[in-house]
Amino acid sequence: AAPVQVQLVVPMAVVFGPGSVPGDLLRPLPFRDVQEMEISVNLRTSVTSRYEMFYRSTTGQEEAALAAATAREADAALHPLQDTTLGSLTMYVVPETSSLLPQGINVYVGKHRSALVRAGGSLAALQARLREVTQVMSFTASSIAAALSDRVPDGQLSPDARRNLKSSLGYEITFSLLNPDPKSHTVDWDIEGAVNRYVKPVLDKLSLVANFSVDSQILYYAVLGVTPRYDKESSSFLLSAHSLPHVINPVEARLGSSAASLYPVLNFLLYVPERSHSPLYIQDKDGAPVSTNAFHSPRWGGIMVYNVEAPASPQASLPLHVDVDMARVMEVFLAQLRLLFGLSREEVPPEFLLERPGNEGLADWELDHLLWAHTVENIATVSTTLTSLAQLLDKIGNIVIKDDVASEVYRAVASVQSAVTELSLGHLHAAFQASKEAVTSSERAFFDPSLLHLLYFPDDQKFAIYIPLFLPMAVPILLSLAKIVRETRQRKKEPTKMD
Amino acid sequence: VCTSRFWFNYRHVANTLSVYRSVKRLGIPDSHIVLMLADDMACNPRNPKPATVFSHKNMELNVYGDDVEVDYRSYEVTVENFLRVLTGRIPPSTPRSKRLLSDDRSNILIYMTGHGGNGFLKFQDSEEITNVELADAFEQMWQKRRYNELLFIIDTCQGASMYERFYSPNIMALASSQVGEDSLSHQPDLGIGVHLMDRYTFYVLEFLEEIHPASQTNMNDLFQVCPKSLCVSTPGHRTDLFQRDPQNVLITDFFGSVRKVEITTETVSLDRGVAGFESKFPEEELATEPLKYAEQLPVAQIIHQKPKQKDWHPPGGFILGLWALIIMVFFKTYGIKHMKHVF
């Protein structure tokens, strides 16, 4: 793989509220400081992270905002006063005894790009806490390693490092309703309304990352490939965790995974169990029913089981009309969408309080998190692609590079260089856009149909074709040439003889 | 991939379709299978049972059935298309079902059958693919991480020569015969009049019949299939490029499809009172005249178009030199005085 050296610069501001300045501060505020860390992936790939910190004290407006009653209000008030460029972070330090943060909570991470950090007494403790927060809000060594997963030697990767969706220019999201028993259930789902109300805000926020297209379908008589077990104690049917992997394939054949688009497809399935198998619960490994009644498969999508309540009277006429509670369903599907992209909130230390992003689906710093990972992944992909293209050209000497392929290669190189420069300046947005362009150009150049090595003949094949054609023709010509040479030589000798 | 055509190569089509059926039975959907067949058996005028392809002489199993999805059929099965599918260098107009949309977590199974020789495989009686080209194609796939692991099975004469040249990591290969040996067919059917299956594939299929999606059988068992007593040829395999120990590789890793799943434990909390997002930008209706069919094609322009001047290139050095040589020899041999007879 080609050597990649990237410097990720995160511009940060650390703002000390009144009464929070640690006693052992070496220099008077305001001052700038830089912290660098190296994330080395393999011998030829190294990513250095550089946090450019600007320490200052609060302005009057910020002080007023920090005097709010709760952390959430403070965060909302501080939002207009912050630097909101992509990739930047602002940390507000509040005194150790401040009541802004609840008991036991040392860090409050807001919806945007700021956090409230409780001072830790000494500068060192504060800096340690700040480092933790910045890693959660921007990138960690493992998230970068996951983005560069095809360069990491296999033994070092954690087993779930390669489960996030690969960076792509677009994704297609398909919502499917599976109704295996239309005789018993007539299921109505207002998918259009749900998409407009709940899914669109999330996709609008993610539109920076990629293009999304959404479609939906209803499939009748689509059964799960697995028969659930009847559990007498709970008088319900159970699907155990180890039978879940076999559920997806029989269904996938009927999903018609997008004949139209070349983008990766994310399938979200809502399964309404048959009347004879209701209610159906999914069991986790310990045997407890899962609260969401849903599971997902990395890089594929998710399935949720929606149980229909049994009718009050056993004589109720079939089919039962079911109105799906789209909000509950979308809560699960959007959570699965987040997990597919790798945005999990589970690995956060317990003393952190993360603000819920609400209907937008993800916080600004989570978007940054995605952008950092995707930018690094794109840059690595481009360098590998261009290097292997160069190796292909070395191997097949007589390949013809068309002009448009050449221009795509130049464009890819220029874009990736600008992406690396922008990253080293801390401009995440520009870097991401440049990396996207670089990936598009390099893929177009590498996968150009004219580069098939079958079309370029090595020299020995050329000989093999032309020799049988020209050799018989050449024999009389060569013999005549020989005769001519002999005659000329003879004629030259003759005048000397004839004398 | 079945690389032969014509009626007497019935067994190759039956081989391929049987493997296709097993793979589908074990869970791989059609959208994940690229099937290349000459597809001239089922409706061949010489087929006494039209619309069927049988794999066993008692006509037990019609492997053609009614849900076969052939992606490349007949004249589309060429070396070029095969390599295009593998390397991904496909023209943009190719439909999704004809593409190999794999990524770095895909395990790929490639099964090829037909007539082969030492270092090559014959495609449709008109061209060949060499083992060097195949190895290069796999290397191109590896460079772009188009596979996680690859299992290559080949059932032809001298099949082992095809995997000799592989050099990319994570490839395991199986062949039905060694270099210098021929792979033999299994049994003829007297009603249909041709041999129905090849021995190696027949025994592989018997082996696969016992595999179900949750089975734990590993690759070492597949290597034991079809010993010399049954197969007459010696099957070979190659695992040195493969990183995992074949003992730990499940058959269903390649022949079936078992997905990794995770239980969803998180939910997003949504504010239910939110009003629907009406599209913020109402699309502007531009009043356009409906196009008439005849006007859509600029016929007038096309008819009166002057033929494009093709750039004239002077003949290259080789041709010029050859002609100069021929003319010089001619005139030297026959003398200049004959020139007036020529012109």
Side-chain angles (χ1 to χ4, degrees):
Chain A
V4 163
Q5 264 151 346
V6 171
Q7 197 182 55
L8 303 174
V9 170
V10 183
M12 263 174 62
V14 181
V15 182
F16 289 97
S20 66
V21 181
D24 52 348
L25 208 55
L26 296 167
R27 287 177 275 175
L29 298 170
F31 66 92
R32 287 185 188 272
D33 192 15
V34 167
Q35 269 184 7
E36 286 202 4
M37 222 172 48
E38 168 120 4
I39 307 170
S40 151
V41 174
N42 65 19
L43 287 173
R44 299 162 85 198
T45 310
S46 72
V47 175
T48 30
S49 61
R50 195 184 146 94
Y51 297 98
E52 292 181 346
M53 320 219 273
F54 177 46
Y55 293 90
R56 63 175 174 85
S57 45
T58 46
T59 62
Q61 283 177 314
E62 288 170 343
E63 267 184 47
L66 280 173
T70 63
R72 189 179 304 162
E73 290 173 19
D75 189 50
L78 285 167
H79 176 54
L81 306 169
Q82 282 166 12
D83 175 16
T84 50
T85 51
L86 257 68
S88 65
L89 295 172
T90 317
M91 309 279 147
Y92 297 97
V93 186
V94 294
E96 218 172 324
T97 50
S98 160
S99 57
L100 202 54
L101 299 173
Q103 271 284 11
I105 299 291
N106 288 335
V107 176
Y108 167 85
V109 177
K111 280 203 288 198
H112 303 286
R113 293 187 172 89
S114 63
L116 301 175
V117 181
R118 198 192 288 275
S122 67
L123 183 62
L126 178 66
Q127 282 190 333
R129 211 169 267 168
L130 284 176
R131 208 174 307 140
E132 259 189 353
V133 186
T134 44
Q135 288 209 333
V136 165
M137 290 176 79
S138 58
F139 50 83
T140 59
S142 61
S143 72
I144 296 292
L148 293 171
S149 61
D150 54 348
R151 288 162 175 257
V152 176
D154 251 342
Q156 291 179 18
L157 267 184
S158 62
D160 43 32
R162 280 199 286 173
R163 63 177 177 179
N164 296 341
L165 284 171
K166 285 193 83 85
S167 157
S168 158
L169 295 165
Y171 300 93
E172 172 144 350
I173 299 184
T174 306
F175 292 105
S176 309
L177 173 65
L178 301 178
N179 186 356
D181 197 6
K183 287 204 283 280
S184 311
H185 300 134
T186 317
V187 187
D188 257 328
W189 72 340
D190 177 25
I191 185 68
E192 248 189 273
V195 165
N196 276 338
R197 277 220 294 285
Y198 304 120
V199 181
K200 259 191 154 298
V202 180
L203 295 184
D204 282 344
K205 190 112 189 244
L206 282 173
S207 61
L208 204 58
V209 177
N211 296 329
F212 286 90
S213 67
V214 180
D215 28 72
S216 69
Q217 60 179 344
I218 303 183
L219 292 175
Y220 294 105
Y221 293 106
V223 290
L224 297 180
V226 183
T227 324
R229 262 184 329 109
Y230 183 67
D231 182 43
K232 276 207 213 70
E233 292 158 13
S234 54
S235 60
S236 60
F237 288 85
L238 295 175
L239 265 182
S240 59
H242 63 79
S243 62
L244 293 177
H246 305 292
V247 167
I248 296 181
N249 282 318
V251 179
E252 170 136 33
R254 298 201 48 194
L255 284 180
S257 295
S258 174
S261 143
L262 290 174
Y263 290 143
V265 181
L266 302 176
N267 294 295
F268 292 102
L269 270 52
L270 186 65
Y271 182 74
V272 179
E274 303 124 314
R275 189 119 185 279
S276 51
H277 282 156
S278 286
L280 179 62
Y281 294 108
I282 297 179
Q283 258 184 337
D284 63 13
K285 283 193 297 289
D286 309 318
V290 175
S291 57
T292 56
N293 222 9
F295 64 97
H296 60 276
S297 177
R299 295 199 186 176
W300 182 79
I303 300 186
M304 177 177 173
V305 178
Y306 188 86
N307 285 315
V308 174
E309 278 165 27
S313 65
Q315 272 82 32
S317 65
L318 299 175
L320 299 166
H321 186 85
V322 180
D323 254 320
V324 177
D325 178 8
M326 293 310 296
R328 182 159 72 95
V329 167
M330 281 305 166
E331 282 181 350
V332 175
F333 281 163
L334 289 175
Q336 287 177 336
L337 181 68
R338 280 171 49 104
L339 289 169
L340 288 170
F341 272 105
L343 299 171
S344 163
R345 288 183 163 202
E346 303 215 320
E347 291 132 23
V348 165
E351 52 188 30
F352 279 47
L353 176 64
L354 300 175
E355 176 63 52
R356 290 164 185 268
N359 277 28
E360 279 193 331
L362 63 161
D364 285 352
W365 54 270
E366 288 178 313
L367 182 65
D368 286 356
H369 203 101
L370 262 186
L371 289 178
W372 287 114
H374 281 199
T375 313
V376 173
E377 189 183 333
N378 286 349
I379 293 178
T381 313
V382 172
S383 66
T384 316
T385 309
L386 291 177
T387 318
S388 52
L389 186 60
Q391 281 173 350
L392 174 68
L393 301 184
D394 274 341
K395 211 159 173 267
I396 305 173
N398 49 357
I399 216 170
V400 170
I401 299 292
K402 297 198 302 207
D403 282 338
D404 49 356
V405 175
S407 64
E408 293 288 352
V409 173
Y410 285 134
R411 201 179 310 161
V413 171
S415 301
V416 83
Q417 279 171 344
S418 106
V420 172
T421 324
E422 297 285 359
L423 273 182
S424 64
L425 293 174
H427 303 149
L428 181 58
H429 188 132
F432 179 69
Q433 302 291 6
S435 73
K436 260 207 307 200
E437 273 177 32
V439 166
T440 321
S441 297
S442 69
E443 299 278 307
R444 225 181 276 155
F446 187 86
F447 286 118
D448 189 85
S450 69
L451 290 177
L452 194 65
H453 57 268
L454 187 59
L455 306 173
Y456 304 102
F457 305 105
D459 288 330
D460 53 348
Q461 279 196 9
K462 276 197 206 134
F463 277 126
I465 292 174
Y466 289 122
I467 293 278
L469 190 62
F470 286 122
L471 195 60
M473 194 168 82
V475 166
I477 293 182
L478 288 172
L479 286 179
S480 312
L481 267 177
K483 191 160 110 120
I484 291 170
V485 164
R486 241 180 292 133
E487 271 180 19
T488 354
R489 242 188 253 153
Q490 243 180 3
R491 212 178 302 130
K492 270 207 200 115
K493 280 199 201 131
E494 255 167 48
T496 56
K497 262 201 205 166
M498 291 265 284
D499 281 12
Chain B
V1 179
C2 162
T3 60
S4 343
R5 53 188 305 114
F6 308 130
W7 175 246
F8 47 82
N9 291 320
Y10 188 99
R11 59 190 185 281
H12 297 141
V13 172
N15 287 351
T16 319
L17 284 173
S18 315
V19 175
Y20 170 76
R21 288 251 161 256
S22 305
V23 150
K24 268 178 85 160
R25 179 178 63 83
L26 289 170
I28 303 190
D30 271 316
S31 54
H32 288 233
I33 303 179
V34 175
L35 180 61
M36 302 174 81
L37 288 181
D39 206 15
D40 55 352
M41 299 300 154
C43 299
N44 196 302
R46 293 166 74 170
N47 190 350
K49 300 259 187 280
T52 60
V53 173
F54 290 107
S55 65
H56 195 270
K57 74 170 180 208
N58 290 329
M59 300 199 210
E60 287 163 2
L61 184 60
N62 173 14
V63 287
Y64 201 64
D66 49 7
D67 62 339
V68 169
E69 188 184 292
V70 181
D71 300 302
Y72 287 86
R73 58 160 43 91
S74 183
Y75 292 108
E76 292 169 351
V77 181
T78 58
V79 177
E80 183 183 333
N81 279 346
F82 179 61
L83 290 178
R84 281 197 193 282
V85 166
L86 285 184
T87 54
R89 298 208 163 96
I90 286 192
S93 56
T94 320
R96 195 179 164 108
S97 60
K98 282 188 166 179
R99 293 181 187 242
L100 179 65
L101 295 164
S102 56
D103 60 16
D104 62 329
R105 297 210 60 194
S106 311
N107 286 354
I108 303 187
L109 165 71
I110 300 184
Y111 173 83
M112 301 183 76
T113 181
H115 289 288
N118 189 356
F120 67 90
L121 175 59
K122 190 170 75 158
F123 260 71
Q124 305 250 337
D125 224 18
S126 60
E127 46 181 4
E128 320 156 334
I129 185 171
T130 55
N131 48 7
V132 176
E133 280 169 351
L134 197 56
D136 284 342
F138 287 162
E139 177 64 15
Q140 293 282 297
M141 288 173 80
W142 176 249
Q143 289 286 325
K144 272 310 263 173
R145 299 290 186 273
R146 276 165 73 78
Y147 67 88
N148 174 35
E149 291 170 345
L150 195 121
L151 176 62
F152 178 74
I153 303 184
I154 185 160
D155 186 355
T156 64
C157 306
Q158 306 193 52
S161 63
M162 288 306 283
Y163 61 63
E164 273 170 4
R165 298 292 195 110
F166 292 164
Y167 54 94
S168 318
N170 284 350
I171 300 185
M172 198 183 325
L174 279 131
S176 60
S177 55
Q178 300 292 336
V179 174
E181 289 180 348
D182 290 336
S183 284
L184 303 184
S185 59
H186 190 53
Q187 343 139 300
D189 176 285
L190 298 175
I192 297 183
V194 283
H195 287 258
L196 291 183
M197 281 267 283
D198 279 332
R199 284 176 192 242
Y200 183 69
T201 311
F202 184 80
Y203 290 108
V204 166
L205 265 125
E206 247 182 29
F207 174 78
L208 286 178
E209 290 294 313
E210 284 146 41
I211 309 285
H212 54 89
S215 111
Q216 298 289 313
T217 334
N218 58 39
M219 279 297 173
N220 274 341
D221 301 326
L222 188 58
F223 295 156
Q224 309 299 330
V225 159
C226 204
K228 197 165 162 106
S229 51
L230 287 174
C231 258
V232 185
S233 58
T234 324
H237 55 89
R238 179 176 177 180
T239 52
D240 57 316
L241 294 167
F242 206 73
Q243 282 176 4
R244 292 193 287 157
D245 187 5
Q247 186 81 23
N248 301 330
V249 180
L250 298 178
I251 300 283
T252 50
D253 279 353
F254 288 103
F255 282 90
S257 170
V258 180
R259 310 244 187 187
K260 253 192 151 68
V261 295
E262 290 166 16
I263 305 278
T264 312
T265 47
E266 299 182 6
T267 48
V268 169
S269 65
L270 291 174
D271 177 11
R272 285 148 192 250
V274 167
F277 236 126
E278 297 309 324
S279 178
K280 286 190 190 150
F281 309 101
E283 289 173 24
E284 293 174 14
E285 295 277 349
L286 294 171
T288 50
E289 281 181 25
L291 282 175
K292 297 199 202 41
Y293 181 67
E295 292 163 19
Q296 289 183 29
L297 207 57
V299 175
Q301 267 184 13
I302 295 175
I303 291 177
H304 298 290
Q305 216 175 39
K306 292 204 185 21
K308 222 158 78 162
Q309 294 283 16
K310 264 212 158 136
D311 293 331
W312 179 79
H313 297 283
F318 182 65
I319 303 290
L320 267 182
L322 200 61
W323 275 108
L325 193 61
I326 293 174
I327 290 179
M328 203 186 73
V329 168
F330 174 78
F331 284 118
K332 203 60 180 129
T333 326
Y334 296 106
I336 286 279
K337 62 183 193 293
H338 288 273
M339 230 168 79
K340 61 175 187 289
H341 295 281
V342 171
F343 290 108

